């Protein structure tokens, strides 16, 4: 039965030629005294909206005589009963005809321009006999798939006799059903005779799930075949007029299905009628979806048996006939409630061409162009992700008024550029999980909705732009953030921007010349840097570097900048490095380690040192070093002066002390060994040593020297080698050694004082 039902529908609806962009109903049926409404669609262009619309009747020789037009013309035959109305906002015009007669049956055209050579569409109008009694025959009109109840009168004297209904086929009248319970196989489970509850002079004959083959003449009868108690009925089955749906190539359409409250809790479906005998399910509420519509279809259940099916990214092969229906298994069945649709796809579309697939790499980015009606510049723009749920679902990710899904913060933005019917969506920090289908939506014309598929390319490919992913900046300091651009973007505009829910605000940048981050790249590569000076707490957040060409955006790279304040003795992000001289370490090496570091005033103890609420005061008695930061390059001249002046005074005082100690040493030294003190002595010491050398050459065996510090150093020499001396058995400290120790202690103290100057106020 299911195959028979679908076969009948396919026979009723022949294939529509899509060569003309004008679209309307192929066949229209009505009855005498009734009316007909014909809707014709045309491409949404400015010329079409203002050009002439017409309705004409085709003659025997192919000539089409205009009956009514949008310019005010109306034929005498249509005066007072016809009207043509243009709806330019919907790109349609409607022809309404009333008081129909059978003479109105024929072939017509609805079109634009001149009747003889304009754009048009063929329409067949069929007007049947109206309901009522004529020539002893009562006329009933029923819809295909519907139910009809036929009342059969009879004489009271036949009230107890057999009741029956037969259908005329040529000269015969084939029995359909009777009061004894017989039912013709062609009407099995579809027909019945109702006698209970009726008067003694009428019974009811009911036909359900009416088919086209049910049309014809029926005879109601009371009594046997010889009885004259008969009543003739003419049942006319109206061919269903499908709901018309007009869509543009790459655009979208919505099927608004209304099946009634009696199927509110029954599974719903939308199927597409094929050239065979099947109606292939496109989507149903049980989770089934056709592969041909993956990523571009949604089913939305509504109340009272209503539901909507939305299809985007229309293709020319989507055109054809569809059925909305309801059944427990989500499949079309004979007798189940259905609604017929005819979809026309206009290939002469005004929809802008945009890629249906975009590709990206892990860690990289994509830029998606989304179309919208150019007349709706102020409409809200959205971007959502299609999910393969039971009915399909599109989760909103971003909108033009600033809302961004929490999971996409810092990596998704919507721009109204380039404008004039197109907006841009940027998504970066791509992962494999981002692959899928996405929809471009607006709050305006739903026909402009579109679908794009995002594919993540596997392999060793990397993002073209190079920048650190996460960095730390310090409050009050200067921070520089570079982004490396390859040669292929040499002619593009480069930019840095700070991301927020409302987009990404462009910031000033500077060109730092060619980049060395790319292999086999010439000097056309660039480093574009963003500088924050001084850094403030509100500077924390996401920053993007990217490229654009005019108003068209390209690749982007996201960096998160964390902003921290340096605290006393340590930092929140880095362990402080202590600059102190280890025992026995060269002081010069220790001093070199203090270069470019912040020095504290040794005169202020930890307890007495004043604290200022600025980010320029660092730790208690040590310098905090961040080798990954460029903070030292941004010191102000005021801080530099306050650091170097105290250091210079301390070094000058140290030089005076050393000079005094050396003077005392030269005054009190009587003898010295050149071998033992060949380093760190003055030229005057060499002159005094000549006398001691002469005595040694004369064979003196032992010399005793008393130092100014009261100690004794013993040296021994041999006559065999006057330039060598024996190592002292028990060396004692001389004034020279004590002087060196004092000098070393002084430099160590100087280094410690240098480490303390960082905590002092900047105003020396």
């Amino acid at each position: 039965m299911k195959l028979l039902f679908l076969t009948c529908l396919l026979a009723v609806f022949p294939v529509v030629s899509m060569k003309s962009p004008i679209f309307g109903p192929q066949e229209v049926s009505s009855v005498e005294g009734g009316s007909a409404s014909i809707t014709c669609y045309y491409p949404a262009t400015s010329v079409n909206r203002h050009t002439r619309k017409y309705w004409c009747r085709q003659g025997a020789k192919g000539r089409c005589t205009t009956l009514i037009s949008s310019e005010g013309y109306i034929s005498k035959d249509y005066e007072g009963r016809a009207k043509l109305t243009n709806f330019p906002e919907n790109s349609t015009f409607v022809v309404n005809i009333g008081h129909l007669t059978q003479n109105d049956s024929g072939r017509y055209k609805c079109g634009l321009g001149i009747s003889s050579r304009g754009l048009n569409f063929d329409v067949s109008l069929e007007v049947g006999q109206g309901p009522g009694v004529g020539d002893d025959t009562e006329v009933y009109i029923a819809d295909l798939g519907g139910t009809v109840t036929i009342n059969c009168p009879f004489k009271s004297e036949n009230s107890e006799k057999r009741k029956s209904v037969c259908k005329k086929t040529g000269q015969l009248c084939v029995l359909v059903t009777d009061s004894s319970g017989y039912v013709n196989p062609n009407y099995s489970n579809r027909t019945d005779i109702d006698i209970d509850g009726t008067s003694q002079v009428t019974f009811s004959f009911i036909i359900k799930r009416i088919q086209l083959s049910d049309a014809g003449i029926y005879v109601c009868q009371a009594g046997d075949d010889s009885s004259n108690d008969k009543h003739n009925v003419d049942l006319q089955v109206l061919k269903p007029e499908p709901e018309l749906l007009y869509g543009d190539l790459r655009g979208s359409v919505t099927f608004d299905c209304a099946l009634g409250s009696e199927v509110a809790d029954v599974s719903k479906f939308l199927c597409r009628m094929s050239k065979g005998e099947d109606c292939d399910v496109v989507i149903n509420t049980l989770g089934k979806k056709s592969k041909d519509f993956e990523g571009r279809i949604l089913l939305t259940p509504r109340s009272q048996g209503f539901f909507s099916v939305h299809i985007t990214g229309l293709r020319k092969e989507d055109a054809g006939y569809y059925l909305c229906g309801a059944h427990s298994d989500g499949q079309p069945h004979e007798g189940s409630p259905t609604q017929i649709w005819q979809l026309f796809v206009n290939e002469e579309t005004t929809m802008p061409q945009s890629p249906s697939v975009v590709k990206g790499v892990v860690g990289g980015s994509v830029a998606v162009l989304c179309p919208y009606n150019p007349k709706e510049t102020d409409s809200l723009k959205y971007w959502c992700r299609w999910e393969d749920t039971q009915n399909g679902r599109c989760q909103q990710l971003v909108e033009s008024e600033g809302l961004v899904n929490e999971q996409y913060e810092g990596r998704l933005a919507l721009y109204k550029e380039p404008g004039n019917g197109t907006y841009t969506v940027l998504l970066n920090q791509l992962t494999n999980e981002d692959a899928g289908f996405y929809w471009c939506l607006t709050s305006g014309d739903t026909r402009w909705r579109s679908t794009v598929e995002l594919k993540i390319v596997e392999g060793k490919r990397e993002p073209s732009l190079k920048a650190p992913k996460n960095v730390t900046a310090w409050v009050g300091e200067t921070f520089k953030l570079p982004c490396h651009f390859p040669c292929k973007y040499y002619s593009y505009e480069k930019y840095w921007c700070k991301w927020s829910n409302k987009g990404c605000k462009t910031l000033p940048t500077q060109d730092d010349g060619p980049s060395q981050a790319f292999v086999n790249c010439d000097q056309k590569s660039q480093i574009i840097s963003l500088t924050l000076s001084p850094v403030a707490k509100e500077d924390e957040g996401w920053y993007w570097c990217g490229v654009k060409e005019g108003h068209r955006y390209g690749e982007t790279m996201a960096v998160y900048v964390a902003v921290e304040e340096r605290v006393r003795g340590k930092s929140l992000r880095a362990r402080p490095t202590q600059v102190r001289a280890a025992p026995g370490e060269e002081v010069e090496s220790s001093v070199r380690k203090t270069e470019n570091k912040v020095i504290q005033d040794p005169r202020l103890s930890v307890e007495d040192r004043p604290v200022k609420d600025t980010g320029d005061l660092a730790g208690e008695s040590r310098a905090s070093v961040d080798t990954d930061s460029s903070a030292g390059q941004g010191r102000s001249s005021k801080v530099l002066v306050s650091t170097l002046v105290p250091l210079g005074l301390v070094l000058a005082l140290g030089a005076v002390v050393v000079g005094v100690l050396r003077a005392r040493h030269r005054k009190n030294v009587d003898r010295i060994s050149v071998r033992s003190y060949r380093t760190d002595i003055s030229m005057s010491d060499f002159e005094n040593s000549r006398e001691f050398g002469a005595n040694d050459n004369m064979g003196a065996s032992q010399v005793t020297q008393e130092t100014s510090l009261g100690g004794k150093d013993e040296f021994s020499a041999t006559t065999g080698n006057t330039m060598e001396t024996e190592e002292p058995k028990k060396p004692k400290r001389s004034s020279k050694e004590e002087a060196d120790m004092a000098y070393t202690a002084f430099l160590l103290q100087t280094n410690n004082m240098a480490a303390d100057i960082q905590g002092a106020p900047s105003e020396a």
Side-chain angles (χ1 to χ4, degrees):
M1 294 297 292
K2 173 183 175 182
L3 295 179
L4 179 61
F5 171 67
L6 296 177
T7 301
C8 293
L9 287 178
L10 290 170
V12 172
F13 303 117
V15 177
V16 181
S17 174
M18 298 297 177
K19 294 181 180 180
S20 172
I22 307 300
F23 172 65
Q26 281 187 295
E27 296 182 352
V28 178
S29 300
S30 188
V31 295
E32 286 184 309
S35 63
S37 181
I38 302 97
T39 301
C40 295
Y41 295 79
Y42 55 85
T45 66
S46 178
V47 173
N48 289 341
R49 282 191 290 269
H50 295 90
T51 195
R52 173 180 179 264
K53 284 82 179 174
Y54 64 87
W55 173 258
C56 66
R57 183 167 185 170
Q58 299 183 59
K61 296 182 180 180
R63 181 179 179 181
C64 202
T65 304
T66 300
L67 300 177
I68 189 171
S69 75
S70 60
E71 295 179 344
Y73 173 78
I74 185 169
S75 66
K76 291 184 177 180
D77 187 41
Y78 270 35
E79 284 183 357
R81 66 187 188 102
K83 183 179 181 181
L84 188 152
T85 307
N86 184 31
F87 297 93
E89 65 278 4
N90 297 327
S91 300
T92 63
F93 67 92
V94 179
V95 178
N96 291 305
I97 309 171
H99 307 293
L100 290 172
T101 67
Q102 290 187 340
N103 291 332
D104 290 322
S105 297
R107 304 283 302 172
Y108 295 82
K109 287 185 178 183
C110 64
L112 277 65
I114 301 175
S115 305
S116 59
R117 52 187 175 88
L119 301 173
N120 54 65
F121 187 83
D122 291 338
V123 180
S124 175
L125 174 60
E126 183 178 346
V127 180
Q129 184 179 358
V133 178
D135 298 330
D136 298 327
T137 301
E138 186 175 6
V139 178
Y140 282 82
I141 299 175
D143 294 322
L144 181 66
T147 299
V148 62
T149 299
I150 299 173
N151 294 320
C152 298
F154 58 86
K155 298 176 182 178
S156 58
E157 59 268 23
N158 294 324
S159 61
E160 299 298 329
K161 295 182 180 181
R162 170 179 172 266
K163 313 297 188 298
S164 63
V165 178
C166 65
K167 182 182 180 183
K168 285 189 176 182
T169 304
Q171 299 297 321
L172 301 176
C173 193
V174 180
L175 182 62
V176 175
T177 185
D178 63 16
S179 56
S180 65
Y182 172 81
V183 176
N184 187 293
N186 292 334
Y187 293 82
S188 178
N189 298 321
R190 298 196 300 121
T191 187
D192 193 12
I193 288 180
D194 185 9
I195 300 177
D196 295 336
T198 63
S199 66
Q200 297 298 315
V201 292
T202 305
F203 70 90
S204 298
F205 168 52
I206 303 170
I207 304 177
K208 303 175 183 177
R209 300 186 297 277
I210 293 177
Q211 302 174 6
L212 291 175
S213 58
D214 292 336
I217 303 297
Y218 290 83
V219 178
C220 300
Q221 183 173 331
D224 55 23
D225 293 340
S226 61
S227 174
N228 292 324
D229 196 356
K230 300 178 179 180
H231 179 70
N232 295 331
V233 174
D234 182 6
L235 175 60
Q236 298 181 5
V237 178
L238 292 179
K239 297 177 182 179
E241 293 186 18
E243 298 282 345
L244 301 182
L245 207 52
Y246 188 94
D248 287 306
L249 191 67
R250 299 186 296 275
S252 63
V253 292
T254 301
F255 296 85
D256 291 318
C257 301
L259 301 179
S261 58
E262 62 273 10
V263 294
D265 299 325
V266 181
S267 298
K268 314 296 191 304
F269 65 85
L270 177 73
C271 65
R272 180 173 58 178
M273 301 171 68
S274 61
K275 294 181 180 180
E277 298 178 343
D278 292 328
C279 192
D280 302 320
V281 173
V282 175
I283 189 172
N284 63 24
T285 53
L286 298 179
K288 183 175 181 179
K289 285 180 284 293
S290 171
K291 282 293 184 181
D292 293 338
F293 293 86
E294 183 182 11
R296 59 191 190 99
I297 189 168
L298 292 176
L299 189 152
T300 305
R302 306 191 186 279
S303 61
Q304 302 299 317
F306 289 79
F307 67 97
S308 297
V309 177
H310 196 88
I311 300 176
T312 68
L314 285 176
R315 307 165 184 171
K316 63 179 182 180
E317 57 266 26
D318 293 335
Y321 290 95
Y322 292 78
L323 285 180
C324 291
H327 196 273
S328 58
D329 64 359
Q331 300 281 341
H333 286 270
E334 174 71 19
S336 62
T338 57
Q339 184 179 10
I340 304 173
W341 294 80
Q342 183 182 359
L343 172 62
F344 177 87
V345 178
N346 175 32
E347 297 181 34
E348 297 182 8
T349 179
T350 58
M351 197 71 61
Q353 186 93 25
S354 60
S356 59
V357 177
V358 294
K359 297 180 180 180
V361 299
V362 173
S365 65
V366 290
V368 179
L369 295 177
C370 294
Y372 67 90
N373 192 331
K375 294 183 177 181
E376 299 175 341
T377 303
D378 297 330
S379 63
L380 292 178
K381 281 78 176 175
Y382 307 92
W383 206 55
C384 68
R385 179 170 186 172
W386 183 87
E387 298 178 0
D388 190 12
T389 59
Q390 185 172 2
N391 299 328
R393 178 172 175 263
C394 206
Q395 180 185 13
Q396 183 173 315
L397 304 182
V398 63
E399 69 173 31
S400 55
E401 292 300 314
L403 176 65
V404 177
N405 187 290
E406 291 182 359
Q407 298 178 356
Y408 289 81
E409 285 191 355
R411 67 190 198 101
L412 179 63
L414 188 153
Y415 292 89
K416 295 182 179 179
E417 291 82 3
N420 193 28
T422 306
Y423 65 92
T424 306
V425 175
L426 298 180
L427 176 64
N428 54 39
Q429 306 174 62
L430 293 175
T431 66
N432 288 319
E433 289 72 27
D434 291 323
F437 294 91
Y438 296 82
W439 284 25
C440 300
L441 312 171
T442 71
S443 60
D445 194 344
T446 59
R447 295 176 299 175
W448 286 74
R449 294 177 177 177
S450 62
T451 302
V452 63
E453 182 181 6
L454 171 58
K455 293 184 177 180
I456 302 299
V457 179
E458 301 290 342
K460 298 182 179 179
R461 294 185 58 184
E462 295 182 354
S464 299
L465 307 186
K466 298 186 182 299
K469 294 182 179 180
N470 298 281
V471 294
T472 301
W474 305 99
V475 172
E477 300 179 0
T478 298
F479 180 75
K480 194 172 186 179
L481 185 59
C483 184
H484 300 256
F485 295 83
C487 305
K488 66 180 181 179
Y489 291 133
Y490 179 75
S491 62
Y492 286 64
E493 178 185 348
K494 291 99 178 163
Y495 66 90
W496 272 101
C497 65
K498 185 176 183 182
W499 181 92
S500 71
N501 282 342
K502 295 184 178 180
C504 203
K505 183 179 180 181
T506 304
L507 301 174
T509 59
Q510 64 185 63
D511 188 346
D512 288 340
S515 169
Q516 303 299 322
F518 305 99
V519 180
N520 300 327
C521 192
D522 57 23
Q523 294 299 307
K524 290 185 178 182
S525 62
Q526 289 177 280
I527 302 176
I528 304 298
S529 297
L530 167 69
T531 301
L532 303 176
S533 180
V535 174
K537 190 64 180 176
E538 54 267 23
D539 290 330
E540 182 168 284
W542 287 99
Y543 291 81
W544 290 8
C545 62
V547 296
K548 60 186 299 189
E549 202 171 24
H551 293 291
R552 293 186 177 271
Y553 288 84
E555 192 170 351
T556 59
M557 176 64 68
V559 180
Y560 187 79
V561 177
V563 175
E564 300 293 341
E565 294 188 38
R566 298 191 187 276
V567 297
R568 303 176 63 82
K570 61 180 180 180
S571 66
L572 295 178
R573 292 280 178 175
R575 184 184 296 257
T577 302
Q578 300 181 13
V579 185
R580 292 183 178 177
E585 183 182 9
E586 287 190 19
V587 179
E588 291 181 359
S589 176
S590 177
V591 171
R592 282 196 298 271
K593 292 182 180 179
T594 65
E595 293 180 359
N596 299 325
K597 306 298 186 294
V598 181
I599 302 176
Q600 295 178 333
D601 190 342
R603 295 170 294 182
L604 298 177
S605 66
V606 175
E607 292 78 16
D608 299 333
R609 189 176 301 133
V611 178
K612 298 184 68 177
D613 294 331
T614 67
D616 295 328
L617 300 182
E620 297 169 351
S621 61
R622 61 188 64 177
S624 178
V625 180
D626 186 354
T627 59
D628 295 332
S629 170
S630 58
Q633 300 177 3
R635 302 292 184 189
S636 65
S637 60
K638 188 173 183 180
V639 174
L640 185 61
V641 172
S642 65
T643 301
L644 295 180
V645 170
L647 179 60
L649 294 176
V650 171
L651 293 177
L653 179 60
V656 173
V657 173
V658 172
V660 172
L661 292 176
R662 287 182 178 274
R664 291 180 60 187
H665 167 68
R666 287 194 299 272
K667 182 178 180 180
N668 294 283
V669 171
D670 296 323
R671 292 177 303 183
I672 190 169
S673 171
V674 176
R675 175 73 173 177
S676 302
Y677 295 96
R678 64 167 53 98
T679 59
D680 297 330
I681 61 176
S682 65
M683 292 302 296
S684 61
D685 294 328
F686 281 103
E687 294 175 357
N688 294 332
S689 68
R690 293 193 186 98
E691 298 177 2
F692 297 106
N695 293 333
D696 290 338
N697 293 333
M698 293 173 66
S701 61
Q702 191 176 30
V703 178
T704 302
Q705 176 186 7
E706 293 184 4
T707 68
S708 61
L709 297 177
K712 294 183 179 180
D713 287 336
E714 296 180 356
F715 302 89
S716 61
T718 64
T719 58
N721 189 351
T722 61
M723 294 302 295
E724 295 182 2
T725 61
E726 295 181 357
E727 291 295 328
K729 298 179 180 179
K730 295 180 181 180
K732 298 181 181 180
R733 293 178 181 175
S734 66
S735 60
K736 171 60 177 176
E737 290 177 310
E738 292 182 353
D740 288 345
M741 291 179 62
Y743 182 67
T744 300
F746 160 72
L747 291 180
L748 290 175
Q749 180 62 25
T750 303
N751 184 49
N752 290 337
M753 290 187 296
D756 292 339
I757 196 63
Q758 186 173 349
S762 58
E763 292 80 4

